């Protein structure tokens, strides 16, 4: 579905991503994890075609991402950013309808029948029916993030790219957001690539994790194989304790105060 073949990106003298080889298969949910400045957002910009790789290439369905037209790519791939939806003065329903933009012909007509029914279905699924006629700039951050998800659902992509989508959400909305994406993936078979800072959410929801540090892939594989104490310690420079989730068995990362204590003892 998506292939990075020696994909690299340099900004002037800074190499943000070094020749990455990585394959995402159809229907998989990948999490991209790594410390600040490790190249996660850079990789997302290459995947979405917003920026061009300086070396190597990104291929989507066998074609280089730059070879797709903008609308053609948007019909296949949707991107949801950390901020989600800006507080724009449009109504929620209008914003969802904007998700149909890549499908409109030159007369502004959507070839899909019953788009209104589809939009109603999304509003209902995301618990947005009561807010449908409210302006987005009157909504809370968590509500706006649901609107942003609704807009990309209306876009009906096969690939969903999420860049730190839960950063500004409380734990209720974080979980709700991940559940909605999981449900969407189950129903529509979409492929998901998500940059996530929350390793525990990543372990619960992603099939596979790509671990980046200093613009290089440290490792890639299942959450069980990726989230080991040695790896977390070396990548993030923390003292972790890894426990298995009591219900699901997925690895969960706890922090110990050892590193802080050691620093204090050493008088740092
Ligand atoms: N437009 C740019 N111009 C110059 N350097 C850049 C640019 N974008 C990113 N970088 C550099 O590339 C490196 C990787 O940045 P990137 O934003 O991809 O990291 P990240 O893993 O997403 O970080 P964070 O977790 O803090 O969001 C950093 O050193 C950053 O300063």
């Amino acid at each position: 579905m998506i292939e990075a073949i020696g994909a690299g990106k340099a900004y002037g003298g800074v190499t943000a991503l070094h020749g990455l080889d990585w394959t995402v298969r159809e229907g998989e949910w990948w999490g991209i994890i790594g410390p600040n400045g490790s190249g996660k957002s850079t990789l997302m910009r290459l995947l979405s075609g917003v920026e061009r790789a300086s070396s190597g290439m990104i291929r989507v369905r066998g074609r280089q991402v730059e070879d797709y037209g903008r609308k053609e790519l948007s019909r296949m791939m949707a991107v949801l950013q950390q901020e989600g939806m800006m507080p724009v003065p449009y109504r929620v329903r209008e914003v969802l309808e904007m998700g149909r933009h890549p499908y409109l012909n030159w007369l502004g007509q959507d070839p899909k029948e019953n788009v209104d029914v589809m939009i109603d279905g999304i509003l209902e699924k995301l618990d947005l029916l009561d807010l449908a006629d409210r302006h987005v700039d009157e909504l809370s951050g968590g509500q706006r993030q649901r609107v942003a998800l609704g807009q990309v659902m209306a876009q009906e992509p096969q690939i969903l790219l999420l860049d730190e989508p839960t950063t500004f959400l409380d734990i209720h909305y974080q979980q709700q957001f991940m559940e909605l994406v999981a449900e969407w993936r189950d129903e529509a078979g979409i492929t998901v690539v998500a940059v996530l800072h929350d390793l525990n959410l990543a372990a619960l929801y992603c099939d596979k994790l790509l671990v980046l540090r200093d613009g290089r892939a440290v490792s890639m594989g299942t959450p069980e194989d990726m989230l080991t104490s040695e790896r977390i310690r070396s990548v993030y420079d923390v003292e972790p304790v890894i426990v298995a989730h009591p219900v699901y068995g997925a690895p969960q990362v706890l922090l110990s105060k050892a590193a802080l204590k050691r620093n204090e003892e050493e008088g740092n």
Side-chain angles (χ1 to χ4, degrees), residues 9-17 32-45 51 82 163-164 195-197 212-215:
K9 181 71 186 175
Y11 297 103
V14 180
T15 303
L17 193 68
I32 303 176
I33 62 171
N36 290 139
S38 56
K40 303 180 297 296
S41 298
T42 302
L43 173 57
M44 293 301 265
R45 288 196 295 273
E51 285 181 8
Q82 190 178 51
D163 197 352
E164 298 179 29
V195 171
L196 293 167
H197 273 300
L212 294 179
R213 186 184 51 192
D214 297 334

